[in-house]
Amino acid sequence: MNWNNKQNQRLVQAILTLKTENEARRFLRDLMTEKEIKEFANRFKAAEMLIEQTPYFEIVRQTGLSSTTVARVSKWLNGKEGGYRTVIAKLHHRPIQMRSGLD
């Protein structure tokens, strides 16, 4: 991923300007289709469920994601970027400890 690309940098800057839930909702709705929003919301739910060690089959059942997508979320959750972990830790107001057996 090239984060130095001007369009990518501008998108990140735009996200950082959002101050309220209402602003975020309105921006995301303008930026994405309803289907895309649902997909990303389900991926985020999958990440939270993986941290809680929810079995893949249950994540697939609850989110409607494919097992391949759940595996990809697990890979990113356990990856070096740490984006999911950072946001989930902030939402839960505690550090996220990675548990073995997530993937």
Side-chain angles (χ1 to χ4, degrees):
M1 181 80 211
N2 179 7
W3 289 110
N4 293 322
N5 172 298
K6 287 186 184 230
Q7 290 89 347
N8 294 342
Q9 286 179 340
R10 196 67 177 153
L11 177 60
V12 170
Q13 290 169 351
I15 290 168
L16 291 172
T17 68
L18 302 171
K19 302 291 185 210
T20 67
E21 284 185 38
N22 189 38
E23 286 179 358
R25 277 192 291 269
R26 291 182 0 238
F27 179 69
L28 291 174
R29 185 56 189 101
D30 286 351
L31 183 65
M32 297 184 281
T33 66
E34 237 179 281
K35 184 177 178 180
E36 289 168 331
I37 292 168
K38 288 176 184 176
E39 173 73 15
F40 295 138
N42 282 329
R43 288 182 188 192
F44 188 71
K45 180 176 182 177
E48 290 182 302
M49 293 174 79
L50 285 164
I51 285 172
E52 297 300 321
Q53 296 185 304
T54 306
Y56 274 35
F57 73 88
E58 185 61 22
I59 296 170
V60 168
R61 188 185 72 73
Q62 286 190 34
T63 64
L65 295 172
S66 70
S67 58
T68 302
T69 300
V70 175
R72 191 177 310 122
V73 170
S74 178
K75 178 181 176 183
W76 293 330
L77 180 65
N78 292 295
K80 65 180 179 174
E81 294 290 331
Y84 278 126
R85 287 189 312 273
T86 298
V87 171
I88 292 168
K90 287 181 178 190
L91 286 174
H92 292 262
H93 306 290
R94 62 179 167 80
I96 299 301
Q97 300 297 318
M98 296 310 300
R99 298 175 182 153
S100 61
L102 289 180
D103 43 335

